[in-house]
Amino acid sequence: MEDTTAVFGAWPGDADVAVALTFDVDGEAAWLGEGPEYGRRLTLLSQARFGPGRGLGRILDLLAELDIPGTFYVPGHTADHHPEAVAAIVAAGHEIGHHGYLHRGTDGLDAGSQRAELEEGLAALGRHGIRPAGYRSPGWELSPETLAMLAGLGFSYDSSLMADDRPYWQASGTAPLLELPGHWSLCDWPYFGWTPYHGGLLAGPAAVEPIWLEEYESARQDRRAITYTMHPEAIGRGYLLRMLRRVITGMLSRGRPWFATHAQIAALANPPAVRIA
Ligand SMILES: [Zn+2]
């Protein structure tokens, strides 16, 4: 049972909404984790490499220009094979979270393999001096076994579940874990992440921009936190980066948003009001 009583009080600076811009830097891991046959698909892998190689830089430039912090969920494989990407994220002062090692879906793995994905991901980020406090399951499918391991491995929050559009407390083993929920409608991948093997809708930005801004207005009305989830491989394309800029400037022109990392939001959470189980 989740505790959905008020997790947060007022936001800093009299803000009326907390906005987390999050980016999953999947790189080639998103495909290699699907199976070894993807290792031969050079075009697909090159499309994936666009994320850390090109899209990420555009995102970092935009965030720097607007002075906004981001949260980057990075698979261990990406950290091992694109060290310059991790270094650039860290140098800009953004947060890095855990996103598996080879981006393998937790629901398809036995408990031992799930633990290995978590531990290998921690080791890879550790080689960059990073100890992540947050976790997001690859492909947004969180299994009971991985959920139960997270608190014990030192994580204090997760961003994989969707039972509420407000942050809530979730049990992880015998300890509480703060859930910072996202949603597919606030993710770029279902709209823009088309490949020959995993088709997205290929929606135009004109269709998505009002959805993201309307949900922002709803979050303002509720004075809640809101998480947007993006992928450098998708949102880092030129025309979509322009959409992201319009979304952010649209937010800045309406209300008083507090742009924050997941760690900054989690740091303000009140402890669970009731025992969670
Ligand atoms: Zn991912």
Side-chain angles (χ1 to χ4, degrees):
M1 292 288 288
E2 306 102 21
D3 170 20
T4 55
T5 53
V7 177
F8 292 97
W11 300 119
D14 197 32
D16 54 6
V17 58
V19 180
L21 302 181
T22 71
F23 304 89
D24 297 353
V25 193
D26 292 344
E28 297 96 321
W31 302 110
L32 297 175
E34 295 280 314
E37 66 274 21
Y38 283 89
R40 291 177 44 77
R41 299 188 171 177
L42 296 186
T43 302
L44 190 68
L45 292 173
S46 69
Q47 179 182 327
R49 204 160 54 242
F50 180 94
R54 175 65 165 142
L56 176 66
R58 282 184 168 146
I59 292 164
L60 293 175
D61 286 348
L62 179 66
L63 296 181
E65 177 191 330
L66 300 175
D67 194 22
I68 288 173
T71 305
F72 293 78
Y73 287 94
V74 180
H77 183 276
T78 299
D80 279 347
H81 291 81
H82 299 281
E84 71 293 340
V86 173
I89 296 167
V90 171
H94 303 298
E95 179 187 2
I96 289 189
H98 193 297
H99 196 44
Y101 183 80
L102 202 54
H103 201 274
R104 301 170 76 191
T106 61
D107 56 314
L109 302 175
D110 61 32
S113 300
Q114 292 177 52
R115 178 168 287 278
E117 273 278 306
L118 289 170
E119 292 179 344
E120 289 170 18
L122 284 171
L125 294 179
R127 288 189 279 277
H128 292 268
I130 297 161
R131 182 63 180 85
Y135 174 79
R136 173 175 284 157
S137 56
W140 258 350
E141 197 56 77
L142 182 59
S143 65
E145 297 81 16
T146 289
L147 173 59
M149 294 175 200
L150 291 176
L153 286 170
F155 293 99
S156 53
Y157 48 94
D158 170 70
S159 185
S160 308
L161 300 175
M162 306 179 181
D164 201 318
D165 55 15
R166 299 163 297 182
Y168 58 94
W169 288 103
Q170 173 74 51
S172 170
T174 57
L177 189 72
L178 180 65
E179 181 58 45
L180 296 168
H183 190 260
W184 293 108
S185 60
L186 302 177
C187 175
D188 61 355
W189 193 260
Y191 304 114
F192 307 121
W194 190 87
T195 76
Y197 314 107
H198 295 72
L201 296 176
L202 274 190
V208 176
E209 192 176 328
I211 296 173
W212 287 13
L213 282 171
E214 277 296 282
E215 188 66 13
Y216 167 80
E217 291 292 346
S218 167
R220 277 186 62 213
Q221 206 162 42
D222 295 341
R223 303 184 81 84
R224 58 182 160 91
I226 183 170
T227 290
Y228 293 84
T229 301
M230 294 163 275
H231 299 74
E233 177 184 342
I235 202 75
R237 304 302 307 191
Y239 76 108
L240 291 177
L241 214 283
R242 291 170 65 89
M243 181 197 81
L244 178 58
R245 174 189 291 274
R246 289 195 302 276
V247 167
I248 295 172
T249 54
M251 291 172 176
L252 289 167
S253 70
R254 304 178 213 186
R256 300 179 303 279
W258 176 47
F259 287 93
T261 65
H262 271 170
Q264 289 172 317
I265 294 172
L268 299 182
N270 297 317
V274 297
R275 184 180 174 279
I276 56 172

